[in-house]
Amino acid sequence: MTTTTTAYDVIVVGLGGMGSAAAYHVAARGHRVLGLERHQPAHARGSSHGGSRIIRQSYFEDPGYVPLLLRAYELWDKLAVDAQREVYRLTGGLFVGPPDCRTVAGSVLAGRRWGLAHEVLDAAEITARFPHFTPHPGDIALYEAKAGFARPELTVRAHLDLADRAGATLRFDEPVLEWSQTRDGVRVRTPRGSYTAGRLVICPGAWAPQLLAELGVPITVERQVMYWLDPIGGAAAFADHPIFISENYSGAQIYGFPAIDGPRGGVKVAFFRKGLACTPETIDRVVRPREIDEMRARVTELLPALAGGCRHTATCMYSNTPDQHFVIARHPGYANVTVAYGFSGHGFKFVPVVGEILADLCIEGVTAHPISLFDPQRPVTR
């Protein structure tokens, strides 16, 4: 039976990383929030899962992200205290490659422009400090002590719990079929009913092409694979390892983490932006032996100890814009609708501050945070 309620100030569509943070920040400001999610809380069907996501400040993608990162770090601290959970951990981070590659040169540029604490190491210094690494002789690295990782599932659950504590109504296994503007606000339809509110926040993840096609920002959804490899000699030596991003002379990037899941958990590694186009309905969740072999061959060029077996694998999805910058804005056609999507594989570290930005835009109509880079009406060709 279809029901209609008008009891909400704000509806948040999508309760993954960004949506859960938005629901919390809006509810914490005293507004009546309805959150709608097509899957269960902290599910493994989208982009906010896999046990870990890198956080860092020396941002090679664009120095314009750094002010948001500085605020995000403050909010990571607050979330950890408020939720009483280790939602993130600082391990240090090593960004390795030829001096002129994007990973290294971009990190150095951001670090210098914003006065971020960092060190630049040559190949010999990398190996002396971190004996498991075997960089090419011409490689250098930026080392950032404030880099580390966030726990995506814990983060989503923490924001959902805090949103619930602040009075939000959260509904799961309830996909949104469509949304529309009404005379007094917005209407959202799901298989269970029709809901109205004064304002709407849409955080659709990989479902953006279905819910926000009218904005005209082309989104390419890609299948990505995460691998947990056994180190030769055991995982103990990798327990206090830095996170890393490595770029080779062809421009291909890989990344990895410490052994954060105990002696039998393996070391998580992955290619960055090496995926096939898919949709949430067509993604291939099967990881084949040739993919594991390719990952192992690439990562052991830098970390030979990761030549052991593969503990397990998992898939997730990137939702890429053409320029790989986010889309965060009030909807240009509907003043009471705010959107956040296209996080292009590097968004999770921003989750707490994106939640704050979305609350600003939804409630106040503006934000003091610098988000012009994320305007959906920007030129997005690349």
Side-chain angles (χ1 to χ4, degrees), residues 11 37 140 242 321 364:
I11 296 174
E37 167 58 47
I140 66 171
T321 63
E364 307 297 337

Side-chain angles (χ1 to χ4, degrees), residues 180-197:
S180 59
Q181 192 168 34
T182 68
R183 185 170 64 179
D184 299 320
V186 293
R187 183 182 304 277
V188 173
R189 188 171 66 86
T190 78
R192 297 184 192 174
S194 178
Y195 307 98
T196 61

Side-chain angles (χ1 to χ4, degrees), residues 72-92:
Y73 268 58
E74 294 174 348
L75 292 172
W76 280 114
D77 284 344
K78 185 176 187 303
L79 180 62
V81 171
D82 291 347
Q84 290 296 291
R85 300 180 190 180
E86 190 192 43
V87 292
Y88 82 103
R89 185 189 306 172
L90 300 185
T91 63

Side-chain angles (χ1 to χ4, degrees), residues 164-216:
D164 177 73
R165 192 183 307 172
T169 299
L170 307 175
R171 299 182 184 274
F172 300 94
D173 292 320
E174 190 165 355
V176 169
L177 302 176
E178 64 179 5
W179 62 272
S180 59
Q181 192 168 34
T182 68
R183 185 170 64 179
D184 299 320
V186 293
R187 183 182 304 277
V188 173
R189 188 171 66 86
T190 78
R192 297 184 192 174
S194 178
Y195 307 98
T196 61
R199 284 156 286 184
L200 176 64
V201 177
I202 307 177
C203 301
W207 289 265
Q210 301 170 21
L211 288 176
L212 293 172
E214 77 283 352
L215 282 176

Side-chain angles (χ1 to χ4, degrees), residues 78-160:
K78 185 176 187 303
L79 180 62
V81 171
D82 291 347
Q84 290 296 291
R85 300 180 190 180
E86 190 192 43
V87 292
Y88 82 103
R89 185 189 306 172
L90 300 185
T91 63
L94 201 62
F95 312 128
V96 187
D100 59 350
C101 76
R102 187 186 186 201
T103 300
V104 174
S107 297
V108 170
L109 174 64
R112 289 176 176 169
R113 181 169 297 181
W114 290 98
L116 303 174
H118 67 276
E119 303 171 65
V120 177
L121 310 176
D122 64 23
E125 291 169 326
I126 295 168
T127 302
R129 289 267 297 271
F130 307 102
H132 284 100
F133 285 89
T134 58
H136 293 291
D139 285 351
I140 66 171
L142 180 142
Y143 177 74
E144 179 187 321
K146 287 191 173 181
F149 65 89
R151 289 282 200 180
E153 292 91 343
L154 280 180
T155 298
V156 171
R157 289 188 178 278
H159 276 132
L160 292 175

